[in-house]
Amino acid sequence: MKAFTYNSQRDVSGARIRQERARQRCTQSDLAARVQVNGVVLERDCISRIENGLRMVQDFELRAIAAALGVTTD
């Protein structure tokens, strides 16, 4: 699979994830734990790379992250 970039980032949702996580005063480790409770294995370093635009987020991961943060994927 070819990885595309947009403004030097692999995913545009990372900044939104970081913003909501910070608003809720949730650490990356806390978010990783919440996501894992939803059945998706996503470690803290993966969340860091997603937020920094270095890793693409899969659709099922985005749904799990949104559920863990209590927001929609929109």
Side-chain angles (χ1 to χ4, degrees), residues 25-42:
R25 294 189 174 121
C26 176
T27 66
Q28 290 177 343
S29 297
D30 291 339
L31 179 57
R34 289 184 194 179
V35 170
Q36 289 178 12
V37 167
N38 289 332
V40 176
V41 179
L42 198 63

Side-chain angles (χ1 to χ4, degrees), residues 5-59:
T5 60
Y6 176 76
N7 289 338
S8 302
Q9 294 190 337
R10 293 193 183 265
D11 200 326
V12 296
S13 59
R16 299 282 307 270
I17 292 169
R18 173 182 282 141
Q19 181 182 26
E20 182 60 27
R21 183 181 57 75
R23 189 187 71 73
Q24 294 184 19
R25 294 189 174 121
C26 176
T27 66
Q28 290 177 343
S29 297
D30 291 339
L31 179 57
R34 289 184 194 179
V35 170
Q36 289 178 12
V37 167
N38 289 332
V40 176
V41 179
L42 198 63
E43 302 293 331
R44 188 213 54 84
D45 66 319
C46 291
I47 292 173
S48 174
R49 287 185 283 142
I50 289 169
E51 288 181 354
N52 289 320
L54 302 175
R55 180 186 183 277
M56 289 177 34
V57 63
Q58 302 295 318
D59 55 352

